[in-house]
Amino acid sequence: DAGITQSPRHKVTETGTPVTLRCHQTENHRYMYWYRQDPGHGLRLIHYSYGVKDTDKGEVSDGYSVSRSKTEDFLLTLESATSSQTSVYFCAISRGPDSYEQYFGPGTRLTVT
Amino acid sequence: GESVGLHLPTLSVQEGDNSIINCAYSNSASDYFIWYKQESGKGPQFIIDIRSNMDKRQGQRVTVLLNKTVKHLSLQIAATQPGDSAVYFCAENISTGGFKTIFGAGTRLFVKA
């Protein structure tokens, strides 16, 4: 988890409320990713970023948006949380397109009631 | 920390024995593979990688074997220790046509002392 922090680490929220998760890195890596991890599904990519203000969708992007205004910060927003978004969310970073090794943060457990 | 109560295939081994964890990957175009280890309450950590032009790669106490004919990957852990208890994921990466990484569902390794 060195160099990557996520906040908050735990959150309980109600259906319909907006939620923002933050990922912060001190490694100056170009690529940042948001995954969700659910039983039976492993890690699934939500969105990723390949530079400041450059983002793209992953396989489960519906209901999520992201922003990256600085190299070190990548925000994941649930505009209107639903119970199906209850999950553990991981942020990851990597150096670039020729370096697929990803370094993961400690995760955020989000519960939507 | 964060963890997910995954209902995963489980491998139980005696301390000191060798462990073999298998993974079937999905895409014949995948050209780079990584094994990750996820301990309870933490994010995944890189263990070892292998490119598709190789059949075998060794690290410290770990060996990865790649069989492209049957799209199979295995992770061998020598002299398994209690600290090896974790969930292990394989990840396949496709370098053409943009970024794409697919994670397997994982295998839980339990080491008996």
Side-chain angles (χ1 to χ4, degrees):
Chain A
D1 298 351
I4 309 169
T5 57
Q6 293 184 230
S7 59
R9 296 295 313 281
H10 302 267
K11 186 170 182 65
V12 180
T13 191
E14 293 184 349
T15 298
T17 60
V19 177
T20 295
L21 308 182
R22 179 179 182 244
C23 177
H24 179 79
Q25 61 145 329
T26 58
E27 307 296 324
N28 200 35
H29 282 1
R30 179 182 170 192
Y31 281 68
M32 299 185 75
Y33 315 84
W34 276 108
Y35 292 92
R36 60 179 290 174
Q37 187 175 41
D38 305 287
H41 290 281
L43 286 160
R44 292 183 292 174
L45 182 65
I46 305 171
H47 282 279
Y48 70 99
S49 170
Y50 47 96
V52 173
K53 298 185 178 177
D54 292 322
T55 65
D56 205 350
K57 296 178 180 180
E59 64 178 303
V60 291
S61 59
D62 288 349
Y64 302 95
S65 63
V66 290
S67 65
R68 190 168 179 201
S69 58
K70 298 184 289 184
T71 298
E72 57 266 35
D73 290 327
F74 193 32
L75 304 180
L76 177 70
T77 297
L78 291 66
E79 300 292 346
S80 178
T82 67
S83 58
S84 65
Q85 293 176 311
T86 292
S87 186
V88 180
Y89 291 85
F90 287 99
C91 173
I93 64 175
S94 68
R95 291 187 183 88
D98 294 327
S99 176
Y100 288 99
E101 178 183 342
Q102 296 181 27
Y103 303 90
F104 287 82
T108 294
R109 179 177 292 278
L110 176 67
T111 302
V112 183
T113 61
Chain B
E2 298 307 318
S3 64
V4 179
L6 302 168
H7 300 288
L8 300 169
T10 298
L11 175 65
S12 184
V13 299
Q14 196 69 40
E15 180 180 1
D17 288 351
N18 297 334
S19 303
I20 299 176
I21 300 170
N22 296 304
C23 175
Y25 63 92
S26 60
N27 197 318
S28 56
S30 295
D31 54 8
Y32 182 62
F33 305 87
I34 301 177
W35 279 100
Y36 289 92
K37 172 186 180 183
Q38 186 175 23
E39 297 176 276
S40 180
K42 297 184 178 180
Q45 295 175 282
F46 171 90
I47 303 173
I48 191 169
D49 59 359
I50 188 168
R51 296 198 178 272
S52 59
N53 60 354
M54 303 171 67
D55 297 321
K56 178 179 180 179
R57 189 166 188 213
Q58 289 184 291
Q60 187 176 19
R61 281 202 307 120
V62 294
T63 300
V64 55
L65 299 178
L66 175 62
N67 185 332
K68 296 181 288 294
T69 302
V70 295
K71 293 191 289 186
H72 183 268
L73 201 64
S74 68
L75 177 71
Q76 300 178 0
I77 305 174
T80 313
Q81 303 168 359
D84 295 326
S85 293
V87 175
Y88 290 82
F89 298 93
C90 65
E92 56 183 298
N93 302 275
I94 304 169
S95 59
T96 58
F99 167 86
K100 189 171 182 64
T101 295
I102 302 171
F103 287 85
T107 296
R108 185 180 302 280
L109 175 65
F110 178 69
V111 182
K112 296 176 286 187

